[in-house]
Amino acid sequence: MTLTPEQIPLFRRGYRLQWEQVQNSHVILYPEGMAKLNDSAAAILQLVDGHTTLEDIIAQLNARFPDAGGLADDVMEFFQRAYEQKWVIFHD
């Protein structure tokens, strides 16, 4: 799948992001298990609400982390991998 900035990510049915105290981190919970997230992945996925475009998520992250020097490529790559892992789906 080729992602475009206009697409809107949302969590796949049965998948959710939550803070897991035992893991001391955010995780993706899904029917088959759980994936522990690093801080960067959690910061990105916390912006997934089913209404916000990839372009707007990138803009929010660039504003939040101005010293990172532009995050568009990294965020798009992350969402490509999240799609491949079946954590998220997209709609226009």
Side-chain angles (χ1 to χ4, degrees), residues 61-62 65-74:
L61 291 167
N62 280 330
F65 304 105
D67 294 337
L71 299 169
D73 291 343
D74 292 336

Side-chain angles (χ1 to χ4, degrees), residues 77-91:
E77 182 179 333
F78 173 81
F79 274 111
Q80 182 65 46
R81 291 188 180 173
Y83 175 77
E84 291 167 2
Q85 292 293 320
K86 300 189 184 337
W87 297 347
V88 296
I89 57 175
F90 295 92
H91 65 85

Side-chain angles (χ1 to χ4, degrees), residues 4-9 52-62 75-76:
T4 64
E6 298 80 25
Q7 289 178 297
I8 298 170
T52 306
T53 65
L54 290 173
E55 182 174 42
D56 290 338
I57 289 172
I58 291 165
Q60 290 179 49
L61 291 167
N62 280 330
V75 172
M76 293 297 277

